[in-house]
Amino acid sequence: MAFEYLAQYITFDSVADMDKSVEDHMAVHYYDLTESERTIIYKLASHSLEHTGVCHLKASTIAAALEISTKTVYRSMKKLAGLGIIEKVPSTKLNGIKGASIYRILPYVP
């Protein structure tokens, strides 16, 4: 279990709860979000199943998977965090090397 440390950041009790929150966020913010931003949310959710609501991904990995630029991923993450849909967990860099970031999908609060 290489990603056991993610357990401390879990935001949902079940995948169903996470999916419901993602749906609610989408419904509320649909017209505020670009197609890229929506696909990024679904990408994060698809990587957040073992530790519900939290994943560890590099922006470059997301960009490659979705065929968008890394810059678009960074810009989108900032916007999604601003809307309260996700949270980037501050992490320390090993030897100054940029690694993958930990992202949490936040519960939808009406």
Side-chain angles (χ1 to χ4, degrees):
M1 293 288 171
F3 295 105
E4 270 316 303
Y5 60 90
L6 291 178
Q8 64 187 313
Y9 302 113
I10 288 176
T11 48
F12 298 97
D13 293 329
S14 68
V15 172
D17 288 347
M18 177 183 70
D19 289 347
K20 175 82 173 89
S21 262
V22 168
E23 276 178 38
D24 291 342
H25 281 304
M26 287 295 187
V28 171
H29 297 292
Y30 190 84
Y31 295 105
D32 303 326
L33 301 173
T34 64
E35 189 62 38
S36 294
E37 290 158 354
R38 289 192 288 267
T39 55
I40 287 170
I41 294 169
Y42 289 126
K43 182 75 179 159
L44 293 177
S46 73
H47 281 267
S48 301
L49 302 176
E50 188 175 340
H51 298 287
T52 323
V54 60
C55 63
H56 196 177
L57 284 171
K58 281 187 173 181
S60 57
T61 304
I62 296 168
L66 302 179
E67 297 179 353
I68 56 178
S69 74
T70 305
K71 199 167 184 166
T72 297
V73 173
Y74 285 123
R75 197 172 44 245
S76 299
M77 292 303 200
K78 194 171 180 176
K79 182 174 170 186
L80 295 172
L83 289 170
I85 298 172
I86 66 164
E87 171 186 63
K88 183 177 174 181
V89 176
S91 55
T92 54
K93 305 283 185 270
L94 296 173
N95 307 327
I97 299 166
K98 270 198 152 180
S101 295
I102 297 172
Y103 294 103
R104 299 172 75 198
I105 297 171
L106 299 174
Y108 175 74
V109 181

